[in-house]
Amino acid sequence: MTETKANYVNGEWVSSETGETIDVENPANPSETVARYQQSNAADAAEAVEAAVDAQDDWATTPGPERGRILREAGNVLADRKDELTDALVAEEGKAHAEAAGEVQRAIDIFYYFAVKAADLGGTTKSPSGRQKNLYIRQEPVGVAALVTPWNYPIAIPVWKLAPALAAGNTAVLKPASQAPGVAVAVAEALDEAGLPDGVLNVVTGPGSTVGTEFIENEGTDAVSFTGSSEVGELVYEQATDAGKRVQTELGGKNPTLVTDSADPAEAADIVANGGFGTTGQSCTACSRAIVHEDVYDDFVAELVDRAESVDIGPGDDHEMGPQVSESELESTLDYIDVAENEGATLAAGGEVPEGEAVDEGYFVEPTVFTNVDHEMRIAQEEVFGPVVAVLKVSDFEEGLEVANGVDYGLSASVVTDDHTEANRFVDESEAGVVKVNEKTTGLELHVPFGGFKRSSSETWREQGDAGLNFYTIEKTVYDNY
């Protein structure tokens, strides 16, 4: 019998007042229902916000080391359940087992990191201009944080929003994506087991149009953090700012890897393949454009095609690349492949739904490489969110940099080069929030800021590390004449 999961509100596991549920299917085997979750409505979301508001004052005055102890213990609970949560992530989202295990470990590490940071929060002391005075700055929580998270990193992203929010003394309401909410619910279970007071975290599953909108617009929430598509994120930003809230959005990308004439084509192909085909291309930082110097273009294409054709596709529990998360995501990728061919790009590898017993039921697509791509084609301008890499030929570094920057997005970018001057110029002139040299566009350290430029971000507040804490705190300056 399929298990039905409840919402977590005010320290209790409760059903939605709608009485309806959401079935989550296994994208590698859509006939298999993995679990059921609450199909909540705005009233359920409002109840969660009320619980967070009621709990906020007590949590804000809880000493930082005590908040950190709870976060650390939640990390321990997740560590004890790592194998179980990895399997759950594979079953709901389709991610390959090694990638899923790495994501669960990242969530654990984030809890440990912010557990330590919670004890350091407080403020700074400055020297006053007069005698018998104190002058200091206090860091205080913003209040109630509304967190709306995506399906592609269904445990890492909720935790990298939630951990700094809780460490700083905020309470939170969380709406995970309906395609894969199970591991976010497990985070609530871990925090509950760790001793988090009632109402400090509330998790409500359901549609973004009802639950998410209520979280964003409810007068009880003070800050909104959203990760998802640029189209939805721009609406969220407008909703939140109209309501006078602090807001951060992390959105889409059209991430380039520039391969210069000094690069080794095989090494560059490894970097692009890992960045473009890893996580089935379902990452906002995935490499979707390889911009390649004409002198190494042919060799690079041959190497990249070889890697695309050698990827082992199948269910994530025992294959290298899993399915797309849903039928609609698969159809979107296949539509972009058709568009690219119709616009005149050359299909050099993949582009089809694979055949075989292991892949005959799920939402699988072959790793795909397009060549002879023009910079103005949609395949070179729009986010695909599948394992599709467009290869563009350029005549020199200057043209390559111009093409790399010539899109509406600016999330992650990389350059593959043995020329130190070119590497430094790329870092200086790249219009992206994350810039890498001789590395894939995907993969992030948890203790440094993350965010994009242009349509990839609201360009207001960064996530992760100290920057993540800054979003969830507000400064109060104190003049004490004793």
Side-chain angles (χ1 to χ4, degrees):
M1 183 175 178
T2 302
E3 183 179 7
T4 299
K5 298 282 190 175
N7 291 333
Y8 182 67
V9 178
N10 203 23
E12 301 290 337
W13 295 96
V14 297
S15 298
S16 167
E17 70 169 33
T18 67
E20 300 176 357
T21 57
I22 307 165
D23 284 358
V24 173
E25 63 188 20
N26 182 344
N29 181 14
S31 62
E32 176 191 348
T33 298
V34 178
R36 292 190 174 94
Y37 299 89
Q38 302 303 308
Q39 177 84 315
S40 307
N41 61 13
D44 296 311
E47 182 181 354
V49 173
E50 182 180 359
V53 170
D54 290 345
Q56 211 285 310
D57 286 345
D58 284 344
W59 182 244
T61 57
T62 300
E66 174 61 14
R67 296 197 296 262
R69 184 201 65 76
I70 292 172
L71 296 183
R72 183 171 58 253
E73 182 56 29
N76 291 338
V77 174
L78 294 183
D80 289 341
R81 297 179 61 188
K82 182 178 178 180
D83 290 344
E84 169 200 346
L85 296 177
T86 298
D87 291 342
L89 202 164
V90 171
E92 285 196 354
E93 198 264 352
K95 194 166 290 185
H97 189 276
E99 295 170 340
E103 184 181 341
V104 175
Q105 185 61 52
R106 183 177 182 83
I108 295 166
D109 293 342
I110 291 169
F111 269 133
Y112 290 160
Y113 173 81
F114 283 107
V116 174
K117 300 297 285 187
D120 290 334
L121 282 170
T124 56
T125 299
K126 299 292 186 178
S127 179
S129 57
R131 299 178 186 274
Q132 296 183 319
K133 294 180 180 182
N134 292 320
L135 180 63
Y136 58 96
I137 301 136
R138 291 174 47 150
Q139 287 176 282
E140 298 188 351
V142 173
V144 177
L147 315 177
V148 182
T149 59
W151 52 261
N152 60 324
Y153 286 93
I155 188 168
I157 292 179
V159 171
W160 87 37
K161 294 180 187 295
L162 182 61
L166 298 183
N170 301 273
T171 56
V173 291
L174 168 65
K175 193 210 87 66
S178 296
Q179 292 94 329
V183 283
V185 172
V187 169
E189 294 170 349
L191 283 161
D192 185 69
E193 185 176 338
L196 191 72
D198 295 349
V200 174
L201 169 63
N202 306 273
V203 179
V204 179
T205 57
S209 58
T210 52
V211 175
T213 297
E214 179 65 25
F215 281 173
I216 293 162
E217 297 184 346
N218 189 294
E219 64 181 11
T221 59
D222 302 288
V224 176
S225 181
F226 171 88
T227 299
S229 71
S230 295
E231 291 74 17
V232 176
E234 286 158 4
L235 293 175
V236 167
Y237 183 82
E238 184 177 343
Q239 287 176 304
T241 53
D242 284 350
K245 319 245 172 160
R246 179 179 292 205
V247 59
Q248 66 179 183
T249 62
E250 295 304 336
L251 310 174
K254 191 63 182 171
N255 311 295
T257 295
L258 175 58
V259 180
T260 72
D261 58 346
S262 65
D264 175 74
E267 178 188 1
D270 283 338
I271 290 171
V272 170
N274 288 334
F277 306 143
T279 65
T280 320
Q282 298 177 135
S283 172
C284 56
T285 56
C287 176
S288 61
R289 294 181 296 149
I291 302 165
V292 185
H293 192 285
E294 60 188 8
D295 288 353
V296 294
Y297 180 88
D298 289 341
D299 289 341
F300 170 85
V301 168
E303 295 282 358
L304 184 62
V305 166
D306 180 67
R307 282 151 184 77
E309 293 176 343
S310 66
V311 173
D312 176 35
I313 310 169
D317 48 9
D318 57 1
H319 292 81
E320 182 183 2
M321 191 183 90
Q324 299 220 243
V325 73
S326 66
E327 184 176 13
S328 63
E329 288 294 332
L330 173 61
E331 288 177 351
S332 175
T333 298
L334 294 174
D335 285 346
Y336 268 110
I337 290 170
D338 288 342
V339 166
E341 289 189 284
N342 290 336
E343 288 187 332
T346 300
L347 182 63
E352 302 288 344
V353 172
E355 297 179 352
E357 184 177 351
V359 294
D360 61 357
E361 294 187 26
Y363 305 127
F364 297 96
V365 64
E366 295 172 338
T368 300
V369 177
F370 278 103
T371 59
N372 298 318
V373 176
D374 182 86
H375 172 59
E376 300 300 327
M377 290 180 179
R378 289 179 60 191
I379 199 71
Q381 290 289 325
E382 299 176 13
E383 186 175 42
V384 177
F385 227 66
V388 179
V389 175
V391 186
L392 297 89
K393 183 188 294 187
V394 293
S395 59
D396 56 27
F397 178 82
E398 300 288 346
E399 183 186 2
L401 186 61
E402 181 179 357
V403 170
N405 288 334
V407 293
D408 291 336
Y409 301 95
L411 187 55
S412 182
S414 72
V415 62
V416 184
T417 182
D418 284 340
D419 186 317
H420 194 60
T421 298
E422 289 180 343
N424 282 321
R425 280 200 59 198
F426 190 83
V427 169
D428 290 344
E429 299 177 41
S430 180
E431 296 172 358
V434 175
V435 183
K436 298 186 174 186
V437 178
N438 296 327
E439 289 192 20
K440 61 182 180 179
T441 56
T442 53
L444 305 167
E445 297 276 4
L446 61 85
H447 58 293
V448 292
F450 170 64
F453 294 174
K454 300 187 280 191
R455 288 193 72 199
S456 291
S457 169
S458 57
E459 297 187 341
T460 47
W461 304 84
R462 293 313 199 205
E463 296 195 272
Q464 304 195 113
D466 289 335
L469 285 169
N470 290 341
F471 175 68
Y472 296 105
T473 58
I474 192 165
E475 292 181 330
K476 177 185 289 182
T477 304
V478 179
Y479 297 78
D480 174 21
N481 185 351
Y482 58 85

mmCIF file of all heavy atoms in Angstrom, residues 361-379:
data_model
loop_
_atom_site.group_PDB
_atom_site.id
_atom_site.type_symbol
_atom_site.label_atom_id
_atom_site.label_comp_id
_atom_site.label_asym_id
_atom_site.label_seq_id
_atom_site.Cartn_x
_atom_site.Cartn_y
_atom_site.Cartn_z
ATOM 1 N N GLU A 361 9.935 2.297 -20.208
ATOM 2 C CA GLU A 361 8.759 2.843 -19.523
ATOM 3 C C GLU A 361 8.966 4.248 -18.970
ATOM 4 O O GLU A 361 7.997 4.942 -18.690
ATOM 5 C CB GLU A 361 8.342 1.914 -18.373
ATOM 6 C CG GLU A 361 7.837 0.560 -18.825
ATOM 7 C CD GLU A 361 7.272 -0.243 -17.669
ATOM 8 O OE1 GLU A 361 6.825 0.371 -16.678
ATOM 9 O OE2 GLU A 361 7.286 -1.482 -17.745
ATOM 10 N N GLY A 362 10.191 4.670 -18.767
ATOM 11 C CA GLY A 362 10.440 5.938 -18.086
ATOM 12 C C GLY A 362 10.603 7.109 -19.033
ATOM 13 O O GLY A 362 10.471 6.996 -20.259
ATOM 14 N N TYR A 363 10.934 8.260 -18.444
ATOM 15 C CA TYR A 363 11.052 9.521 -19.183
ATOM 16 C C TYR A 363 12.508 9.770 -19.571
ATOM 17 O O TYR A 363 13.139 10.733 -19.146
ATOM 18 C CB TYR A 363 10.513 10.668 -18.341
ATOM 19 C CG TYR A 363 9.098 10.449 -17.866
ATOM 20 C CD1 TYR A 363 8.769 10.561 -16.525
ATOM 21 C CD2 TYR A 363 8.082 10.119 -18.770
ATOM 22 C CE1 TYR A 363 7.464 10.365 -16.088
ATOM 23 C CE2 TYR A 363 6.778 9.911 -18.348
ATOM 24 C CZ TYR A 363 6.480 10.035 -17.001
ATOM 25 O OH TYR A 363 5.187 9.830 -16.575
ATOM 26 N N PHE A 364 13.028 8.886 -20.402
ATOM 27 C CA PHE A 364 14.442 8.910 -20.755
ATOM 28 C C PHE A 364 14.671 9.623 -22.082
ATOM 29 O O PHE A 364 13.826 9.584 -22.987
ATOM 30 C CB PHE A 364 14.990 7.486 -20.844
ATOM 31 C CG PHE A 364 14.947 6.733 -19.545
ATOM 32 C CD1 PHE A 364 13.900 5.871 -19.251
ATOM 33 C CD2 PHE A 364 15.944 6.904 -18.601
ATOM 34 C CE1 PHE A 364 13.853 5.174 -18.056
ATOM 35 C CE2 PHE A 364 15.905 6.216 -17.402
ATOM 36 C CZ PHE A 364 14.859 5.354 -17.122
ATOM 37 N N VAL A 365 15.835 10.256 -22.193
ATOM 38 C CA VAL A 365 16.263 10.863 -23.442
ATOM 39 C C VAL A 365 17.769 10.684 -23.557
ATOM 40 O O VAL A 365 18.482 10.648 -22.544
ATOM 41 C CB VAL A 365 15.889 12.363 -23.497
ATOM 42 C CG1 VAL A 365 16.622 13.154 -22.425
ATOM 43 C CG2 VAL A 365 16.143 12.952 -24.876
ATOM 44 N N GLU A 366 18.251 10.554 -24.760
ATOM 45 C CA GLU A 366 19.684 10.376 -24.978
ATOM 46 C C GLU A 366 20.432 11.692 -24.758
ATOM 47 O O GLU A 366 19.913 12.774 -25.089
ATOM 48 C CB GLU A 366 19.935 9.892 -26.405
ATOM 49 C CG GLU A 366 19.383 8.515 -26.700
ATOM 50 C CD GLU A 366 19.489 8.155 -28.181
ATOM 51 O OE1 GLU A 366 19.584 9.087 -29.008
ATOM 52 O OE2 GLU A 366 19.467 6.965 -28.495
ATOM 53 N N PRO A 367 21.656 11.641 -24.215
ATOM 54 C CA PRO A 367 22.501 12.830 -24.214
ATOM 55 C C PRO A 367 22.666 13.327 -25.649
ATOM 56 O O PRO A 367 22.913 12.530 -26.568
ATOM 57 C CB PRO A 367 23.819 12.333 -23.643
ATOM 58 C CG PRO A 367 23.474 11.109 -22.860
ATOM 59 C CD PRO A 367 22.322 10.485 -23.598
ATOM 60 N N THR A 368 22.494 14.614 -25.841
ATOM 61 C CA THR A 368 22.358 15.163 -27.189
ATOM 62 C C THR A 368 23.392 16.259 -27.445
ATOM 63 O O THR A 368 23.619 17.115 -26.586
ATOM 64 C CB THR A 368 20.938 15.729 -27.382
ATOM 65 O OG1 THR A 368 19.991 14.656 -27.202
ATOM 66 C CG2 THR A 368 20.757 16.351 -28.742
ATOM 67 N N VAL A 369 23.983 16.209 -28.631
ATOM 68 C CA VAL A 369 24.962 17.221 -29.050
ATOM 69 C C VAL A 369 24.519 17.808 -30.373
ATOM 70 O O VAL A 369 24.241 17.070 -31.337
ATOM 71 C CB VAL A 369 26.374 16.614 -29.197
ATOM 72 C CG1 VAL A 369 27.364 17.670 -29.692
ATOM 73 C CG2 VAL A 369 26.838 16.003 -27.874
ATOM 74 N N PHE A 370 24.449 19.138 -30.435
ATOM 75 C CA PHE A 370 24.195 19.840 -31.687
ATOM 76 C C PHE A 370 25.445 20.608 -32.103
ATOM 77 O O PHE A 370 26.091 21.259 -31.272
ATOM 78 C CB PHE A 370 23.030 20.824 -31.535
ATOM 79 C CG PHE A 370 21.679 20.190 -31.657
ATOM 80 C CD1 PHE A 370 20.916 19.945 -30.521
ATOM 81 C CD2 PHE A 370 21.179 19.832 -32.898
ATOM 82 C CE1 PHE A 370 19.664 19.360 -30.636
ATOM 83 C CE2 PHE A 370 19.929 19.242 -33.021
ATOM 84 C CZ PHE A 370 19.167 19.005 -31.882
ATOM 85 N N THR A 371 25.766 20.543 -33.395
ATOM 86 C CA THR A 371 26.859 21.335 -33.966
ATOM 87 C C THR A 371 26.275 22.299 -34.998
ATOM 88 O O THR A 371 25.072 22.288 -35.270
ATOM 89 C CB THR A 371 27.906 20.425 -34.616
ATOM 90 O OG1 THR A 371 27.271 19.644 -35.646
ATOM 91 C CG2 THR A 371 28.523 19.488 -33.588
ATOM 92 N N ASN A 372 27.172 23.112 -35.569
ATOM 93 C CA ASN A 372 26.749 24.132 -36.535
ATOM 94 C C ASN A 372 25.612 24.988 -35.969
ATOM 95 O O ASN A 372 24.620 25.280 -36.641
ATOM 96 C CB ASN A 372 26.315 23.478 -37.860
ATOM 97 C CG ASN A 372 27.459 22.734 -38.518
ATOM 98 O OD1 ASN A 372 28.593 23.213 -38.550
ATOM 99 N ND2 ASN A 372 27.185 21.536 -39.018
ATOM 100 N N VAL A 373 25.768 25.362 -34.720
ATOM 101 C CA VAL A 373 24.751 26.159 -34.031
ATOM 102 C C VAL A 373 25.096 27.634 -34.182
ATOM 103 O O VAL A 373 26.234 28.058 -33.934
ATOM 104 C CB VAL A 373 24.672 25.780 -32.542
ATOM 105 C CG1 VAL A 373 23.687 26.690 -31.814
ATOM 106 C CG2 VAL A 373 24.275 24.315 -32.387
ATOM 107 N N ASP A 374 24.122 28.409 -34.587
ATOM 108 C CA ASP A 374 24.281 29.865 -34.666
ATOM 109 C C ASP A 374 23.872 30.487 -33.336
ATOM 110 O O ASP A 374 22.931 30.032 -32.686
ATOM 111 C CB ASP A 374 23.421 30.417 -35.798
ATOM 112 C CG ASP A 374 23.591 31.921 -35.961
ATOM 113 O OD1 ASP A 374 24.525 32.334 -36.674
ATOM 114 O OD2 ASP A 374 22.802 32.679 -35.352
ATOM 115 N N HIS A 375 24.572 31.538 -32.978
ATOM 116 C CA HIS A 375 24.353 32.192 -31.689
ATOM 117 C C HIS A 375 22.918 32.664 -31.482
ATOM 118 O O HIS A 375 22.426 32.715 -30.356
ATOM 119 C CB HIS A 375 25.321 33.380 -31.557
ATOM 120 C CG HIS A 375 25.084 34.241 -30.371
ATOM 121 N ND1 HIS A 375 25.133 33.759 -29.081
ATOM 122 C CD2 HIS A 375 24.790 35.565 -30.273
ATOM 123 C CE1 HIS A 375 24.886 34.751 -28.229
ATOM 124 N NE2 HIS A 375 24.674 35.850 -28.931
ATOM 125 N N GLU A 376 22.204 32.986 -32.562
ATOM 126 C CA GLU A 376 20.850 33.510 -32.448
ATOM 127 C C GLU A 376 19.787 32.417 -32.386
ATOM 128 O O GLU A 376 18.610 32.709 -32.136
ATOM 129 C CB GLU A 376 20.548 34.448 -33.624
ATOM 130 C CG GLU A 376 21.474 35.651 -33.716
ATOM 131 C CD GLU A 376 21.402 36.533 -32.468
ATOM 132 O OE1 GLU A 376 20.297 36.621 -31.867
ATOM 133 O OE2 GLU A 376 22.434 37.121 -32.095
ATOM 134 N N MET A 377 20.160 31.172 -32.611
ATOM 135 C CA MET A 377 19.175 30.087 -32.550
ATOM 136 C C MET A 377 18.621 29.952 -31.130
ATOM 137 O O MET A 377 19.298 30.234 -30.144
ATOM 138 C CB MET A 377 19.823 28.762 -32.966
ATOM 139 C CG MET A 377 20.168 28.659 -34.430
ATOM 140 S SD MET A 377 20.934 27.049 -34.805
ATOM 141 C CE MET A 377 21.190 27.196 -36.566
ATOM 142 N N ARG A 378 17.397 29.476 -31.037
ATOM 143 C CA ARG A 378 16.779 29.289 -29.717
ATOM 144 C C ARG A 378 17.569 28.301 -28.868
ATOM 145 O O ARG A 378 17.661 28.468 -27.647
ATOM 146 C CB ARG A 378 15.338 28.805 -29.884
ATOM 147 C CG ARG A 378 14.379 29.861 -30.423
ATOM 148 C CD ARG A 378 12.989 29.301 -30.589
ATOM 149 N NE ARG A 378 12.440 28.833 -29.314
ATOM 150 C CZ ARG A 378 11.329 28.106 -29.214
ATOM 151 N NH1 ARG A 378 10.659 27.751 -30.311
ATOM 152 N NH2 ARG A 378 10.902 27.723 -28.027
ATOM 153 N N ILE A 379 18.156 27.278 -29.502
ATOM 154 C CA ILE A 379 18.925 26.284 -28.754
ATOM 155 C C ILE A 379 20.157 26.913 -28.094
ATOM 156 O O ILE A 379 20.704 26.372 -27.133
ATOM 157 C CB ILE A 379 19.348 25.120 -29.680
ATOM 158 C CG1 ILE A 379 19.736 23.874 -28.878
ATOM 159 C CG2 ILE A 379 20.461 25.530 -30.629
ATOM 160 C CD1 ILE A 379 18.584 23.191 -28.219
#
